[in-house]
């Protein structure tokens, strides 16, 4: 059996036509050349930024596809491998973009100065796709550093760009759909396995053991230090067990996930060796990788700007290096809570033991579990009464 599409009579498709190379390779218009003095390194500058924009477009395609796969009330677990594949692709693209900045570093500050004056007021801050990417990942307005004391949207004046930005903030972000998914983690049910209750008991036991060890220290100065440090650890755990404290952290922008989603992420992290949690744990790791690569890209960009411009004002009118440096912080990490998850892990020997039922639930996919329950129900109903 052959693909009928391959048998249809059609003109031969050539490589250049398929990729529209004539249009693509004619997009490099040097501003210096328009002013009568062609500056060699401007061509590199344009090519590098155009390559960035093409890769931003591909990242948006991948992120949007993952958002779509997570959009249903329940996520088909058979799709997890596809989700992991696409998130991993985003990570690899971002790694490439981090390294690509080094190509621009081959251009010296004097080389850049030869054509920089022709570029104002154009600025990388005006990259629509990068703003869309930040929004679709889940970066909130309140966590952004203002650009020249103004909202980032003020540099976009056309209706099409404004609509795209509005859509990117009104639709559920990757962070939103992942949060809803984490809130449905199997085992969080209070009338079921009740992970959170068992985890709280495990933490209390661990804290008591640690405090006992600290108080047994014979050196008084060291004992006081150990007891004080242990008390700080216990206080940090209180911030997740008391939902009121957790919500205050969220309001201050120090945490991102809802209280229930944080519970789900912790459970997945602690029971990652269970078959059903293998892929979810890998996904959480990939989300951190994406945040890490975005942070590294911002940092490399900051270093490039400082190398090329020092403390000069940016072509778009921003404070240049000072503004960009302020974006390399936890404020811009969308999945910040996943990085801080290690704060609340307990040693393996304190991890609550899974019940037989929960062990079984985490050994198979939801679809297989439903089938197993239906079969057992049928067997029960077919059993004659005694």
């Amino acid at each position: 059996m052959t693909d009928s599409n391959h048998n249809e009579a059609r003109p031969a498709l050539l490589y250049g036509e398929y990729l529209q190379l004539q249009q693509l390779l004619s997009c490099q218009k040097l501003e210096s050349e328009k002013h009568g003095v062609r500056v060699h390194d401007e061509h590199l500058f344009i090519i590098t930024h155009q390559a960035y924009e093409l890769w931003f477009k591909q990242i948006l395609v991948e992120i949007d596809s993952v958002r779509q796969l997570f959009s249903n009330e329940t996520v088909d677990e058979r799709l997890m491998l596809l989700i992991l594949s696409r998130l991993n692709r985003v990570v690899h693209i971002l790694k490439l973009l981090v390294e690509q900045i080094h190509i621009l570093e081959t251009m010296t500050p004097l080389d850049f100065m030869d054509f920089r004056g022709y570029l104002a007021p154009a600025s990388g801050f005006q990259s629509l796709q990068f703003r869309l990417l930040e929004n679709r990942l889940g970066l909130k307005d309140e966590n952004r550093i203002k650009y020249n004391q103004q909202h980032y949207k003020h540099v976009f004046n056309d209706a099409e760009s404004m609509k795209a930005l509005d859509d990117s903030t009104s639709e559920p972000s990757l962070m939103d759909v992942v949060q809803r998914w984490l809130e449905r983690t199997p085992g969080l049910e209070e009338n079921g396995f009740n992970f959170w209750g068992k985890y709280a008991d495990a933490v209390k036991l661990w804290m008591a053991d640690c405090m006992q060890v600290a108080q047994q220290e014979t050196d008084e100065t060291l004992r006081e230090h150990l007891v004080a440090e242990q008390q700080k650890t216990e206080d940090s755990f209180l911030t997740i067990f008391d939902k009121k404290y957790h919500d205050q952290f969220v309001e201050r922008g120090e945490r991102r996930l809802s209280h229930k989603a944080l519970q789900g992420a912790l459970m997945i992290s602690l029971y990652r060796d269970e078959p059903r949690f293998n892929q979810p744990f890998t996904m959480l790791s990939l989300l951190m990788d994406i945040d890490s690569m975005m942070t590294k890209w911002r940092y490399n960009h900051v270093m490039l700007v400082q190398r090329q411009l020092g403390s000069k004002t940016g072509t778009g009118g921003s404070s240049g290096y000072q503004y960009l440096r302020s974006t390399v912080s936890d404020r811009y990490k969308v999945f910040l809570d996943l990085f801080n998850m290690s704060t609340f892990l307990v040693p393996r020997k304190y991890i609550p033991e899974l019940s037989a039922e929960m062990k079984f639930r985490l050994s198979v996919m939801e679809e297989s579990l439903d089938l197993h329950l239906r079969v057992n129900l049928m067997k029960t109903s077919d059993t004659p009464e005694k």
Side-chain angles (χ1 to χ4, degrees):
M1 184 174 174
T2 59
D3 189 340
S4 60
N5 290 333
H6 292 170
N7 297 328
E8 294 176 1
R10 57 183 176 83
L13 182 64
L14 300 179
Y15 177 80
E17 294 173 336
Y18 177 60
L19 298 179
Q20 300 187 55
L21 292 181
Q22 187 173 358
Q23 296 94 319
L24 181 64
L25 298 180
S26 62
C27 290
Q28 295 73 46
K29 310 295 185 184
L30 279 63
E31 287 298 309
S32 60
E33 195 169 38
K34 294 177 184 177
H35 289 79
V37 183
R38 178 186 175 92
V39 178
H40 179 82
D41 278 10
E42 188 183 357
H43 193 274
L44 171 68
F45 189 81
I46 294 173
I47 286 286
T48 304
H49 285 81
Q50 287 179 340
Y52 272 124
E53 292 296 333
L54 285 172
W55 283 123
F56 289 159
K57 184 174 184 178
Q58 185 62 40
I59 293 175
L60 286 169
V61 168
E62 304 299 344
I63 294 297
D64 285 346
S65 71
V66 173
R67 288 169 54 233
Q68 182 61 40
L69 292 171
F70 270 110
S71 63
N72 296 326
E73 187 64 28
T74 58
V75 179
D76 188 340
E77 294 181 42
R78 291 170 296 186
L79 296 174
M80 283 303 296
L81 190 59
L82 180 61
I83 291 171
L84 294 181
S85 174
R86 292 179 180 175
L87 289 177
N88 188 48
R89 182 178 295 164
V90 170
V91 172
H92 280 284
I93 294 173
L94 287 171
K95 286 181 178 178
L96 177 65
L97 299 190
V98 168
E99 292 301 313
Q100 188 170 290
I101 286 184
H102 298 314
I103 300 175
L104 280 178
E105 290 176 346
T106 64
M107 178 177 63
T108 69
L110 275 178
D111 295 332
F112 186 37
M113 190 177 291
D114 286 341
F115 65 89
R116 180 175 179 259
Y118 301 125
L119 307 184
S123 167
F125 193 87
Q126 298 158 7
S127 171
L128 173 64
Q129 289 195 119
F130 191 71
R131 299 305 165 207
L132 295 177
L133 174 57
E134 289 178 323
N135 290 342
R136 289 180 186 173
L137 286 174
L139 180 61
K140 301 294 185 183
D141 272 4
E142 55 266 28
N143 291 327
R144 290 182 180 275
I145 304 295
K146 287 191 174 182
Y147 176 77
N148 289 345
Q149 301 304 312
Q150 294 179 307
H151 193 277
Y152 74 96
K153 289 184 179 179
H154 88 279
V155 300
F156 303 100
N157 300 315
D158 62 292
E160 185 177 351
S161 294
M162 290 304 298
K163 183 181 185 308
L165 288 168
D166 289 341
D167 290 344
S168 70
T169 53
S170 62
E171 297 171 356
S173 67
L174 181 61
M175 172 63 170
D176 292 331
V177 296
V178 167
Q179 176 171 270
R180 291 201 297 262
W181 172 76
L182 284 171
E183 290 172 344
R184 301 192 297 267
T185 301
L188 296 184
E189 307 87 354
E190 290 185 15
N191 59 350
F193 178 66
N194 188 22
F195 162 72
W196 201 237
K198 290 180 171 61
Y199 169 73
D201 291 339
V203 170
K204 289 177 184 177
L205 178 61
W206 181 38
M207 292 295 98
D209 289 348
C210 290
M211 184 61 80
Q212 184 179 13
V213 171
Q215 291 173 339
Q216 289 174 348
E217 172 59 47
T218 56
D219 183 282
E220 183 178 355
T221 303
L222 179 56
R223 182 174 64 250
E224 290 178 357
H225 171 75
L226 291 175
V227 169
E229 289 301 308
Q230 183 57 33
Q231 188 59 56
K232 290 179 183 178
T233 301
E234 292 183 16
D235 291 343
S236 71
F237 274 100
L238 287 177
T239 66
I240 63 169
F241 288 129
D242 191 321
K243 185 177 181 299
K244 179 181 67 175
Y245 286 144
H246 173 79
D247 290 343
Q248 289 174 355
F249 274 82
V250 173
E251 289 175 9
R252 294 200 300 265
E254 296 176 35
R255 289 184 188 161
R256 309 281 189 265
L257 292 172
S258 68
H259 195 236
K260 194 67 173 287
L262 180 67
Q263 296 174 28
L266 260 172
M267 185 172 184
I268 290 170
S269 298
L270 289 172
Y271 298 102
R272 62 188 182 186
D273 294 331
E274 300 302 320
R276 196 172 168 196
F277 279 170
N278 289 169
Q279 291 180 333
F281 178 75
T282 300
M283 194 196 77
L284 297 183
S285 297
L286 287 171
L287 294 176
M288 285 191 285
D289 288 343
I290 290 174
D291 250 344
S292 293
M293 287 300 110
M294 291 286 286
T295 301
K296 288 179 181 179
W297 185 87
R298 293 180 196 277
Y299 177 78
N300 281 7
H301 187 203
V302 169
M303 291 297 98
L304 174 68
V305 168
Q306 187 178 34
R307 177 192 293 254
Q308 299 288 352
L309 300 178
S311 58
K312 292 177 183 175
T313 302
T315 50
S318 75
S319 55
Y321 167 74
Q322 297 298 333
Y323 164 75
L324 292 172
R325 187 179 67 174
S326 67
T327 66
V328 186
S329 68
D330 283 352
R331 294 172 67 110
Y332 280 77
K333 283 182 183 172
V334 175
F335 301 100
L336 176 64
D337 295 343
L338 301 182
F339 287 87
N340 293 330
M341 197 64 60
S342 298
T343 308
F344 306 111
L345 296 180
V346 298
R348 289 183 186 274
K349 69 177 182 178
Y350 291 96
I351 297 176
E353 185 177 353
L354 295 172
S355 63
E357 179 186 355
M358 197 65 219
K359 188 80 174 175
F360 176 73
R361 287 185 69 188
L362 297 184
S363 68
V364 294
M365 292 193 303
E366 193 70 44
E367 292 79 4
S368 301
L369 179 61
D370 291 342
L371 178 60
H372 175 80
L373 294 175
R374 287 197 298 270
V375 169
N376 279 348
L377 183 62
M378 290 172 63
K379 287 180 179 179
T380 303
S381 61
D382 288 343
T383 302
E385 297 182 2
K386 295 183 179 180

